[in-house]
Amino acid sequence: MTQTSQPRREFHSGRGKKTFDRIPGGFYLVGALVILFEVVTLGAVGLALAVGDPSDDGASPDKESRRIEVTYIATGDHPSVNLTVGEANGNHEPHGVVILPYRKTVELAAGADFYLDVRSREDQEGGTLTCTVLVGGKVVQQAHSTQDSSSATCAGSTADAPQRGIPVPTLTPGASPLPEERRLTGTVKVPDYPGEGSPVIGTVRDSSLEYAELGGTWDRSKTLDPVLDGFTRKQEGRQRALVKSTQVDEDIMAAAGGTGELRGVAGAVMDERRRYEYPRDQAILVDVASQPLKVDGHDAWLLVSEIHFHKRGVPSTMDLNSVLVVDTGRVRPSVLWVVLPETNKKLWPDLNTLVASVQVR
């Protein structure tokens, strides 16, 4: 009989048992999770080191976010100045004409540059000007204009150390703000200014007009060169009071549209007087009266305006200006221009006297 072979049994002792066979099955899952966590963590750290912190630009975050109060101060004996502020590296911002004293506080980053330039206006050079810059409430820079300079400039850094012994300038009240411009489009009669006014001592005879010559505090009327002065007659009074007369020149006629319309001509004369007799870009016109008149049977137009301004060394901040344009029958009309300062209102009745006295030659 053939015997069938049986599978051979193998016996192992406890020592011979394989190591993995001795670990419970649940530990495999825990180990795999731990390894996966370490791989993800190391990968994230590596990516962060490779990309870098976007907020890290080489400067301390605290330093970059810290802001410091910087105060710009401009003082001097000028009613108004040209002002420029900005950064010392050249990024300057003109502020145009400002009234003194000027003070403004801004916030700049720690270590940022500052710049402040205080400059005399074109027609108000001379005098004294001072710029001062405070950082954190303390003076870090101050500069003054000199006899050879019409400006004062402060430039530096917010990191500059405070200067000892320099007090913060006292901001005494400066020039009052100028009013808004107002031009009349309708008809308004000239006021009858109260008071005695100046005595009449004679008659001024111009090329095409005759009018009263005033006495009292007025000087005698004089002849002018129209090429050099633009007028043919002038009488000067106290505190910049003036009376001038001439024929309207061709440029003003062109500015008025060239039509000879008297109201437009009177306005063009007033605009020219403001442009040439008062601080540029700092003289405001406020019309008081604008009306048609008959002068010795001839058509005329009277325009009266307050011109408000600030000018160094001039106590008056407003002059009463009057322009009387008369159609004399010649190619161009004639004009009588009167200036009476606010600081001498006793002369204001002289306007009524002059207008009432005008005759055509």
Side-chain angles (χ1 to χ4, degrees):
M1 175 184 288
T2 306
Q3 294 183 346
T4 304
S5 63
Q6 298 291 329
R8 186 179 177 181
R9 277 185 162 182
E10 294 183 2
F11 296 94
H12 300 277
S13 65
R15 287 185 176 183
K17 192 175 182 179
K18 295 180 180 178
T19 303
F20 286 150
D21 292 340
R22 298 169 61 187
I23 300 175
F27 280 87
Y28 292 116
L29 178 59
V30 174
L33 290 175
V34 171
I35 294 172
L36 178 62
F37 175 77
E38 291 179 351
V39 170
V40 172
T41 302
L42 291 174
V45 172
L47 179 62
L49 292 175
V51 175
D53 187 351
S55 64
D56 183 12
D57 58 357
S60 169
D62 292 340
K63 180 179 179 181
E64 190 67 23
S65 61
R66 190 161 61 95
R67 309 289 289 181
I68 298 177
E69 281 194 351
V70 176
T71 301
Y72 299 112
I73 299 176
T75 54
D77 62 358
H78 292 227
S80 59
V81 294
N82 289 311
L83 194 75
T84 302
V85 299
E87 300 174 359
N89 60 10
N91 185 20
H92 302 159
E93 178 184 354
H95 279 219
V97 177
V98 300
I99 303 298
L100 294 185
Y102 171 89
R103 179 185 178 117
K104 184 176 182 180
T105 298
V106 299
E107 285 192 348
L108 299 180
D113 292 334
F114 61 76
Y115 179 87
L116 174 63
D117 181 75
V118 186
R119 189 171 298 271
S120 298
R121 304 187 60 209
E122 181 179 350
D123 54 355
Q124 300 189 37
E125 295 181 355
T128 59
L129 295 172
T130 300
C131 67
T132 306
V133 177
L134 312 181
V135 176
K138 297 181 179 180
V139 177
V140 297
Q141 194 166 136
Q142 186 176 87
H144 307 276
S145 61
T146 64
Q147 293 181 351
D148 300 329
S149 173
S150 59
S151 68
T153 303
C154 293
S157 168
T158 57
D160 293 346
Q163 297 188 15
R164 297 181 179 180
I166 300 180
V168 178
T170 301
L171 303 184
T172 56
S176 59
L178 297 175
E180 293 185 0
E181 184 113 342
R182 186 184 70 186
R183 306 306 298 266
L184 291 174
T185 56
T187 298
V188 177
K189 291 185 177 182
V190 63
D192 186 11
Y193 294 103
E196 295 182 2
S198 303
V200 176
I201 61 172
T203 300
V204 177
R205 291 177 174 83
D206 202 356
S207 57
S208 55
L209 295 180
E210 292 184 358
Y211 52 91
E213 183 177 13
L214 302 174
T217 61
W218 291 86
D219 297 333
R220 297 305 298 262
S221 180
K222 298 179 181 179
T223 302
L224 297 177
D225 184 343
V227 176
L228 298 177
D229 299 283
F231 290 87
T232 52
R233 298 288 302 196
K234 175 179 75 171
Q235 187 174 20
E236 293 182 298
R238 184 173 297 173
Q239 298 178 8
R240 300 172 58 254
L242 284 173
V243 178
K244 288 186 175 183
S245 60
T246 191
Q247 283 188 317
V248 179
D249 64 32
E250 295 178 354
D251 291 340
I252 295 180
M253 294 295 294
T259 62
E261 192 269 325
L262 295 180
R263 181 171 193 158
V265 174
V269 173
M270 188 72 77
D271 288 338
E272 186 201 42
R273 293 300 94 208
R274 170 172 61 172
R275 183 167 57 253
Y276 286 104
E277 303 294 336
Y278 292 89
R280 185 175 300 177
D281 302 325
Q282 188 70 4
I284 301 300
L285 270 172
V286 178
D287 288 344
V288 174
S290 184
Q291 67 174 113
L293 291 176
K294 284 291 184 178
V295 172
D296 199 17
H298 295 258
D299 290 335
W301 197 278
L302 177 63
L303 176 62
V304 181
S305 303
E306 297 175 351
I307 297 187
H308 297 259
F309 63 98
H310 297 306
K311 188 172 184 179
R312 190 178 66 85
V314 177
S316 176
T317 59
M318 189 273 280
D319 289 343
L320 190 69
N321 276 251
S322 174
V323 171
L324 176 65
V325 177
V326 183
D327 183 0
T328 62
R330 294 170 172 80
V331 176
R332 299 191 305 274
S334 293
V335 59
L336 178 71
W337 176 49
V338 182
V339 181
L340 301 170
E342 184 183 32
T343 50
N344 195 356
K345 285 190 174 182
K346 291 182 179 181
L347 297 181
W348 283 21
D350 291 349
L351 173 60
N352 303 114
T353 300
L354 288 164
V355 171
S357 70
V358 176
Q359 299 291 318
V360 175
R361 293 186 65 184

